[in-house]
Amino acid sequence: MSRFWIVNIVFLVLLIVLLVLDANYSISAWWYVALIAPLIALHTFGSIYLSMQFFIPAKCQGKPQQAIAITFDDGPIAGMTEKILAILDKHKVKASFFCIGHRIAREPELAKRLHDEGHLIGNHTYWHKATFDLQSGGSIARELADTDKAIVKAVGVKPKFFRPPYGVTNPMVAKGIRSGDYTVIGWSVRSFDTVIKDRAKLFNRVTRSLKGGDIVLFHDYSESTHDILDDFLNHVSKLGLKVVRVDELLNEKAYV
């Protein structure tokens, strides 16, 4: 049972208790506010913080070890993803790419290159629209299935890993995920490389507390990530850590 349902059941039990007390003793309305306010807060934070695993289990970090995983969202993007691949190849490390379905369909050869060079490919929805999480569970399931089809057509494997856009989840997203039996992958270090353009600030953000077991979130198209990735990988090496794919870090199966 998810934490979402546990919280709702506890809320209903407490609400019934309040109603019984109110019927017998006419209690203050503030007791209802005190009950409902935390429920709203939990639902809100549970939706936007994937690490809470409020609606669906998620893997956000590996066990403490001498390795980390680096992940790239939103590709493949011609002219951008290749720059990432060149740096990864220079350092002889493998990463994990959570790809958008329509971009896979548009750049199948680039997707195949990702796979052929030993990098992991995961599902990151077909369109990655801001309204993704507002769809019905059935619509979400179909979008994830369409992404799987694009990946299978391009590289010949069906992904087991899914990362929700922005890390946002809710009951509809959870239903869509469960229908495809995906393993949800989050992160423990979020770079915010889509908004941090200053090279030094970005480098400091992703290195200041980096430790074994971390999953780092970057984006293919971020110029600031292109600027720091070489130095970041050198820093990882100096810490005595190695970079592995998410499936190796978590000891989970990457493909169906």
Side-chain angles (χ1 to χ4, degrees):
M1 184 181 295
S2 70
R3 293 173 181 175
F4 166 73
W5 284 111
I6 292 172
V7 166
N8 284 352
I9 290 170
V10 171
F11 167 77
L12 287 174
V13 170
L14 292 176
L15 179 61
I16 291 171
V17 171
L18 277 183
L19 290 171
V20 171
L21 290 173
D22 200 11
N24 288 279
Y25 303 103
S26 188
I27 63 175
S28 170
W30 284 107
W31 284 101
Y32 292 98
V33 174
L35 177 62
I36 294 172
L39 178 72
I40 294 173
L42 281 170
H43 279 236
T44 301
F45 285 104
S47 294
I48 61 179
Y49 290 105
L50 184 59
S51 59
M52 286 182 64
Q53 302 182 67
F54 191 67
F55 297 101
I56 194 84
K59 308 283 187 178
C60 298
Q61 191 168 17
K63 294 179 180 179
Q65 54 188 288
Q66 290 303 110
I68 66 167
I70 56 175
T71 66
F72 297 91
D73 283 7
D74 297 359
I77 303 172
M80 305 298 280
T81 304
E82 295 95 331
K83 296 178 182 179
I84 298 292
L85 290 175
I87 299 172
L88 296 176
D89 182 63
K90 173 185 174 183
H91 289 265
K92 306 302 178 187
V93 300
K94 306 303 179 186
S96 303
F97 290 79
F98 288 89
C99 297
I100 297 175
H102 78 89
R103 288 180 174 166
I104 289 270
R106 187 174 61 197
E107 302 289 348
E109 290 302 317
L110 185 50
K112 187 175 186 301
R113 179 181 168 186
L114 289 174
H115 181 67
D116 289 348
E117 292 187 9
H119 303 291
L120 181 150
I121 295 179
N123 189 318
H124 196 44
T125 76
Y126 198 86
W127 296 110
H128 199 290
K129 291 184 177 180
T131 55
F132 168 76
D133 55 293
L134 300 181
Q135 302 177 88
S136 68
S139 294
I140 288 171
R142 286 189 292 274
E143 181 168 343
L144 301 191
D146 287 343
T147 306
D148 287 347
K149 291 175 184 176
I151 294 172
V152 170
K153 184 177 180 180
V155 304
V157 294
K158 182 178 179 182
K160 178 73 173 175
F161 291 169
F162 169 71
R163 175 174 281 169
Y166 319 109
V168 173
T169 54
N170 58 32
M172 294 87 76
V173 174
K175 181 179 178 180
I177 291 170
R178 290 192 183 97
S179 70
D181 194 28
Y182 297 95
T183 299
V184 179
I185 305 296
W187 56 81
S188 55
V189 177
R190 188 173 190 175
S191 66
F192 285 104
D193 58 351
T194 57
V195 294
I196 299 176
K197 304 305 178 183
D198 182 271
R199 180 183 183 281
K201 288 181 179 178
L202 180 60
F203 182 81
N204 180 64
R205 177 174 179 83
V206 296
T207 59
R208 63 191 177 195
S209 59
L210 190 68
K211 61 188 180 301
D214 276 334
I215 299 173
V216 186
L217 167 61
F218 290 115
H219 292 81
D220 291 30
Y221 62 86
S222 170
E223 293 283 2
S224 50
T225 289
H226 297 167
D227 290 341
I228 72 156
L229 186 57
D230 187 68
D231 288 341
F232 174 77
L233 292 172
N234 284 331
H235 178 79
V236 170
S237 181
K238 289 177 182 177
L239 292 177
L241 300 172
K242 64 177 181 176
V243 177
V244 300
R245 297 188 342 178
V246 165
D247 55 339
E248 182 178 343
L249 185 78
L250 300 175
N251 193 28
E252 293 276 350
K253 189 177 180 181
Y255 301 109
V256 176

